[in-house]
Amino acid sequence: MNTNINQSLASVQKTFESNAAKFAPAAMQEAFQPMMDNAKAWGDLLQQQAQASQSAVAETFEAFKNVKEPQAAMEIMGTFAQTLLQLTSKNMKDTVALSVSQFKGNVSSLEKTLPASEAVTSIANSMKDSASQMESTVESSVNEGVAAAKKARFA
């Protein structure tokens, strides 16, 4: 098995070496830019979500500093649970929105680069519509889950 991997890697290397002149730096950068943009968007989203979570935890610890009664501690924990529920809901929606946005962008790019792009337009539109419907379904499900959790908490 190791020999097969080595042969495959050697084949890839040979292909790159024999075609190196065809790879213009500007063209390669242009080809990789959408992937880099997508990776940056995910990194930005992750950073935003992490900061929001850290802030919620810090606020909760700060609220606990002056607590003397058990009831006050329970109220703080309830508020923290509510905050986490809202953050989780927002994070899920933001993650799905980014995924759908990138999916639609990839479908559009593919549609533009195919030789008979007009022939695949209806397929591309159906794929984009399906992605939008999936996003809407996830958002509705998340909203229903949050509502059920709030109802259970205050019941």
Side-chain angles (χ1 to χ4, degrees):
M1 181 164 163
N2 210 6
T3 304
N4 290 339
I5 293 171
N6 289 337
Q7 288 173 344
S8 295
L9 292 174
S11 175
V12 169
Q13 181 180 357
K14 183 178 179 182
T15 301
F16 274 120
E17 288 172 353
S18 64
N19 291 296
K22 297 177 185 176
F23 292 106
M28 286 186 66
Q29 179 147 356
E30 183 181 340
F32 280 103
Q33 192 60 48
M35 287 189 297
M36 299 303 290
D37 292 344
N38 286 348
K40 183 181 182 319
W42 281 105
D44 291 347
L45 179 61
L46 180 60
Q47 183 176 14
Q48 173 192 6
Q49 291 177 346
Q51 288 171 343
S53 296
Q54 289 170 343
S55 176
V57 170
E59 288 174 15
T60 301
F61 281 131
E62 189 64 32
F64 269 117
K65 283 184 178 178
N66 297 318
V67 171
K68 298 198 181 1
E69 301 89 30
Q71 184 59 36
M74 294 302 291
E75 288 176 17
I76 291 170
M77 290 304 295
T79 300
F80 181 61
Q82 185 67 28
T83 300
L84 288 181
L85 182 62
Q86 290 169 346
L87 281 173
T88 301
S89 170
K90 181 182 181 324
N91 290 350
M92 289 176 70
K93 290 176 186 178
D94 290 350
T95 300
V96 170
L98 180 57
S99 296
V100 168
S101 172
Q102 289 182 351
F103 175 79
K104 288 179 177 181
N106 291 335
V107 169
S108 292
S109 293
L110 181 63
E111 181 181 11
K112 290 174 188 172
T113 59
L114 290 174
S117 62
E118 65 280 351
V120 297
T121 297
S122 65
I123 295 170
N125 288 339
S126 293
M127 292 172 73
K128 292 176 191 176
D129 290 344
S130 295
S132 293
Q133 182 60 43
M134 187 268 313
E135 181 179 17
S136 177
T137 300
V138 169
E139 185 169 343
S140 294
S141 297
V142 168
N143 290 341
E144 289 172 14
V146 168
K150 284 181 182 178
K151 186 176 179 183
R153 179 173 179 238
F154 296 112

